[in-house]
Amino acid sequence: MTLLRCRGLRKTYAGHVVLDGLDLTVDEHRVVALIGASGSGKSTLLRCLNLLEPLDDGTIELDGQDVSDPRVDPDRVRRRIGMVFQSYNLFPHLSVLDNITLAPVRVHGRSRAEAAAQARELLDRVGLAAKADDYPDRLSGGQQQRVAIVRALANSPRLMLLDEVTSALDPELVGEVLTLIRDLKAEGMTMVLATHEMAFAREVADEVCFLDGGWVVESGPPERVLGDPTEPRTRQFLHRIIEARRL
Amino acid sequence: MTLAPPHLPPSPHVPSEAQRRRAAYRRRQTVTSVLVAAASTAVLGTLLVVAVTGAPGWDRVRASFGDPAVARDALPEVLTGLWLNVRLLVCCAAGALLLGLLIALARTLRGPVFFPVRALAAGYTYTFRGLPLIIVLYLLTLGVPGLRLQGMPSVLVLGGLALVLTYGGYLAEVFRAGIESVHPSQLAAARSLGLTYRQTMRHVVLPQAVRRVAPPLLNDVVAMQKDVGLVSLAGPIDAVRAAQIATAETFNYTPYIVAGVLFVLLAIPLIAVTDAVTLRAARRQGRSAR
């Protein structure tokens, strides 16, 4: 079943075209990886999907509902979408537990006790039960990012958007976050993730989309797009990445 | 050949020779610093005392500014006046903080409906930050009662209102700076969780903003403490006005010194709180910056 369908997305910043008629379809329980050079519009696309940025053209359908219609309340749409950012963006004045329960209590109107119990259960699953009462600045980057993922999951989202969630992490901390994403895939979570980790994209994604010039240049199963790309631009991009790794 | 057992408990740390030498050197340095500080303070203090007490007019000045008998007589009145200062400060500081917060929030409202609110709030901060407090005081305490409206509040309340209006303008700008210092990524994170704009302000932006600007806010309250006495221009007798009355009776200025000392004593706890809050904020910032 199709969960997300975008048609002709266009987004410009001060005359600079970032998204130029982009189409993207995501089926339920599927993981789509967005790859592409910095500035190719991966982050912008994710922000547009979460209605954090107004569109300049195009439509976004979530569960068959046109959420790009201005009459739709964006707050209600965002409740169904979880988003995780490159820089974690935990709330520094709230404890780990309060970070996670804020939306369930304030947005979904759950009782504090119920939300806290659910948060502790989620924290336990990601191995951070002992950190519930700590403040974010006492946590490592990898721990903060796992809390950020749990915070998004606490809303029981239909779709998760992950924006280069390992890019700000030290190499030895990347693994713990990727393991968590792997678990989410195993549970059937639908995800769109922007990433620079080609090996991870190959492993976890059902489909890889290569973005360039504001639209999807090439998409398909990871083995084909990453292993045997047909578009010259995709080849060039992958070639550059391999070269960089060799240095 | 013998092998060490694999899990030997760590032996207690014994400082190395180099570390012990460094510690001894630092101890010697500390002793030298304390001695130098004591000597230079003594020299400077002696010079000041000699210069002031040796001045030709010292005896006359001491008689008219430091007469213990006059100080004792003036103390009750000055204290009564000071009690008015304290009460006014508490009420006006609370009022100005509340007004400042409301104005700062009004300036962040978005959407065409709120245009008049935004414009009014901006106009208010421009006007009252520019207008001298004394003029606001005269307008409210002398002008407004002149309207002869029914149920007119007392001059004291009107004077307090003038203080709240003037300081509210400054505090609003401090609050606004705090709100704007919260990084947009915090707003994005809150909105992505489905929080409305209001909920984002209430639960994510304001708590961080207020914590960050608590030191400058308290600093403005310290400044306000000195200005609350200006309501005496309209009649109520505060500490400075009480000292002035006492001075007029005896032609001795000692009551002013009494009032000044009391003001400083009153300010010390407030300043200490401000410093403590600033230090805590700095420590917290330093920790999260890592």
Side-chain angles (χ1 to χ4, degrees):
Chain A
M1 199 193 106
T2 302
L3 181 61
L4 178 77
R5 190 195 302 276
C6 315
R7 285 202 210 91
L9 291 191
R10 183 180 168 81
K11 178 71 193 170
T12 60
Y13 288 107
H16 176 64
V17 182
V18 184
L19 301 179
D20 191 10
L22 183 142
D23 297 327
L24 182 73
T25 304
V26 181
D27 288 342
E28 208 169 359
H29 308 307
R30 301 265 287 180
V31 177
V32 173
L34 308 173
I35 62 167
S38 299
S40 60
K42 305 188 293 289
S43 294
T44 304
L45 172 57
L46 293 179
R47 291 176 68 88
C48 286
L49 293 182
N50 205 9
L51 310 183
L52 286 172
E53 301 281 349
L55 292 175
D56 291 319
D57 204 350
T59 56
I60 301 171
E61 275 176 33
L62 183 70
D63 267 331
Q65 180 198 14
D66 179 5
V67 296
S68 49
D69 186 322
R71 283 165 297 188
V72 171
D73 178 2
D75 294 325
R76 301 189 76 86
V77 177
R78 292 192 196 104
R79 291 175 199 180
R80 291 185 271 158
I81 304 176
M83 183 147 185
V84 185
F85 301 85
Q86 181 177 344
S87 49
Y88 336 130
N89 299 0
L90 294 180
F91 306 129
H93 62 295
L94 297 178
S95 70
V96 164
L97 195 72
D98 290 341
N99 261 278
I100 299 168
T101 56
L102 180 62
V105 170
R106 299 292 163 189
V107 177
H108 296 275
R110 301 233 194 97
S111 79
R112 198 168 281 279
E114 188 193 340
Q118 184 214 11
R120 284 186 194 279
E121 193 186 305
L122 284 167
L123 279 173
D124 192 38
R125 259 177 46 195
V126 303
L128 291 174
K131 303 287 183 187
D133 299 314
D134 279 352
Y135 282 82
D137 59 357
R138 303 299 294 257
L139 270 54
S140 75
Q143 290 170 336
Q144 289 192 49
Q145 194 59 295
R146 282 185 285 160
V147 171
I149 293 173
V150 165
R151 181 174 71 175
L153 288 174
N155 270 347
S156 311
R158 296 273 284 139
L159 170 71
M160 285 281 276
L161 307 174
L162 309 175
D163 189 4
E164 297 190 19
V165 291
T166 59
S167 293
L169 296 176
D170 291 336
E172 79 269 22
L173 302 178
V174 168
E176 60 192 53
V177 173
L178 294 187
T179 305
L180 176 50
I181 298 172
R182 232 174 253 131
D183 293 346
L184 288 182
K185 178 188 162 71
E187 286 162 25
M189 177 61 76
T190 314
M191 289 186 274
V192 180
L193 49 98
T195 185
H196 285 300
E197 308 266 347
M198 295 304 150
F200 184 68
R202 187 189 286 255
E203 177 205 327
V204 81
D206 299 304
E207 185 182 347
V208 171
C209 298
F210 171 64
L211 266 65
D212 192 52
W215 47 289
V216 179
V217 173
E218 185 164 7
S219 69
E223 313 82 60
R224 199 188 59 66
V225 176
L226 297 172
D228 182 24
T230 51
E231 291 288 328
R233 274 190 282 177
T234 317
R235 269 190 214 157
Q236 204 181 14
F237 170 73
L238 292 171
H239 190 70
R240 275 206 306 272
I241 286 202
I242 293 163
E243 285 291 300
R245 283 284 145 80
R246 277 205 196 117
L247 289 174
Chain B
M1 198 175 81
T2 54
L3 286 169
H7 296 296
L8 204 63
S11 58
H13 174 70
V14 179
S16 69
E17 178 62 25
Q19 176 59 26
R20 266 175 292 163
R21 263 202 310 263
R22 279 199 292 258
Y25 174 74
R26 282 195 201 112
R27 268 197 302 277
R28 281 199 303 278
Q29 287 281 298
T30 310
V31 172
T32 317
S33 312
V34 170
L35 287 178
V36 169
S40 87
T41 308
V43 169
L44 191 67
T46 313
L47 277 176
L48 263 175
V49 169
V50 168
V52 172
T53 59
W58 167 242
D59 288 334
R60 252 189 311 152
V61 170
R62 194 178 55 176
S64 56
F65 280 89
D67 189 328
V70 175
R72 222 172 300 123
D73 288 347
L75 190 61
E77 262 86 64
V78 175
L79 270 179
T80 310
L82 194 71
W83 177 231
L84 178 74
N85 287 73
V86 172
R87 281 178 300 164
L88 258 178
L89 175 68
V90 170
C91 297
C92 294
L97 284 168
L98 189 67
L99 179 67
L101 182 60
L102 288 177
I103 295 293
L105 282 177
R107 292 192 73 176
T108 67
L109 289 175
R110 295 176 308 182
V113 187
F114 295 113
F115 173 76
V117 181
R118 276 198 305 271
L120 213 62
Y124 163 75
T125 58
Y126 274 85
T127 310
F128 280 90
R129 278 188 302 158
L131 210 52
L133 173 58
I134 293 190
I135 293 178
V136 182
L137 258 172
Y138 281 145
L139 278 175
L140 277 171
T141 56
L142 305 178
V144 172
L147 296 173
R148 294 169 196 274
L149 292 172
Q150 291 257 307
M152 181 59 62
S154 72
V155 166
L156 194 61
V157 173
L158 287 170
L161 194 62
L163 279 158
V164 168
L165 284 172
T166 302
Y167 272 84
Y170 289 104
L171 296 178
E173 288 303 287
V174 176
F175 275 119
R176 195 162 73 105
I179 288 169
E180 282 172 3
S181 78
V182 176
H183 198 269
S185 65
Q186 288 283 312
L187 273 89
R191 300 307 298 275
S192 82
L193 289 169
L195 269 71
T196 63
Y197 182 75
R198 274 172 68 146
Q199 288 173 324
T200 301
M201 268 296 173
R202 160 82 183 74
H203 298 290
V204 174
V205 176
L206 271 184
Q208 296 186 55
V210 169
R211 248 163 260 216
R212 235 171 263 182
V213 296
L217 286 176
L218 282 170
N219 197 38
D220 276 344
V221 172
V222 172
M224 192 176 192
Q225 179 179 334
K226 293 179 290 185
D227 277 352
V228 290
L230 287 176
V231 291
S232 62
L233 287 174
I237 296 167
D238 85 310
V240 178
R241 177 80 180 119
Q244 191 186 10
I245 293 168
T247 303
E249 285 164 358
T250 59
F251 301 105
N252 187 300
Y253 293 104
T254 309
Y256 281 125
I257 301 293
V258 172
V261 169
L262 288 176
F263 264 100
V264 173
L265 288 179
L266 194 63
I268 285 174
L270 203 51
I271 293 171
V273 169
T274 310
D275 283 353
V277 169
T278 310
L279 200 68
R280 219 188 54 178
R283 218 178 274 147
R284 199 155 175 90
Q285 294 276 320
R287 211 160 43 129
S288 46
R290 242 184 281 146

